[in-house]
Amino acid sequence: MNDFELRKLLEDMHTIAAVGLSPDPRSVKVSEYMKEHGYQVIPVAPGEHNVAGEDAFPDLKSVPEKVDVVHILPSSSRVTPIVEEAVDMGIHVIWMEPGADPDAARKAMDAGLEVITNRSMREEHCRLIGDQPSLRS
C-alpha cells in the first residue's frame, strides 16, 4: 500500500477494534493516540472488562458497532482465528503491527482483505497526517 492509499485509509476509518489491547501502559499507547485524533477505539481483550477507559469485548463478534479496521497488536496469540472472524464479519481491513504472523497476513490477503503489516499505526498516522489532535468527532 502506497502513502496515498494509506493516508486515505487513515482519513476514512473511524472505528478501530484493537485486538490484544491490555491495561499495560505500553499496550494502550497507540490506542490513546488514536483516540486523541478522533478515532473510536474498541478493545477486544478476552478476560478484560475495561481497557483504557473503554468497555472491552471478548472477541470481534461481540463488538456492537461496525468496525472499519481490525488492529492486531503483536501480543495477540490468536492471530489466525482473529483474521477468520474478521472475514466472517465482512471487515475489510486488518492492520498488523510489527512482529505479526506473516501466515495470518497471507490468509487475510487471500480472503480479499486489505492488509497493512509491519507498520505502526501511530507512526504512520504521525508521518502522513500529523501529530496534532483532531477536531473530528
Side-chain angles (χ1 to χ4, degrees):
M1 179 176 281
N2 65 38
D3 283 353
F4 176 80
E5 294 166 328
L6 193 55
R7 181 184 174 115
K8 177 137 179 54
L9 171 67
L10 288 165
E11 290 173 343
D12 291 347
M13 66 187 208
H14 301 285
T15 305
I16 303 165
V19 178
L21 192 63
S22 79
D24 183 308
R26 293 173 297 182
S27 179
V28 299
K29 186 177 179 181
V30 173
S31 171
E32 291 297 323
Y33 172 87
M34 297 308 287
K35 284 175 21 178
E36 287 172 11
H37 289 81
Y39 298 91
Q40 178 181 13
V41 178
I42 301 170
V44 177
E48 299 292 338
H49 298 289
N50 187 290
V51 177
E54 302 291 336
D55 289 337
F57 297 89
D59 51 39
L60 285 175
K61 292 180 213 167
S62 301
V63 175
E65 283 105 277
K66 177 186 175 292
V67 172
D68 298 314
V69 176
V70 175
H71 183 208
I72 301 175
L73 302 171
S75 62
S76 179
S77 60
R78 306 177 29 240
V79 176
T80 298
I82 294 162
V83 167
E84 291 169 352
E85 200 172 9
V87 169
D88 290 344
M89 294 176 63
I91 298 170
H92 300 288
V93 181
I94 302 280
W95 191 305
M96 297 179 178
E97 291 286 315
D101 178 1
D103 291 333
R106 206 168 14 265
K107 182 176 187 93
M109 286 185 263
D110 290 345
L113 276 64
E114 186 71 47
V115 180
I116 297 93
T117 60
N118 294 316
R119 293 184 182 200
S120 162
M121 187 179 280
R122 180 185 184 281
E123 289 175 15
E124 292 301 314
H125 187 279
C126 283
R127 183 175 71 83
L128 296 170
I129 295 177
D131 195 21
Q132 297 302 312
S134 174
L135 298 176
R136 64 189 273 186
S137 48

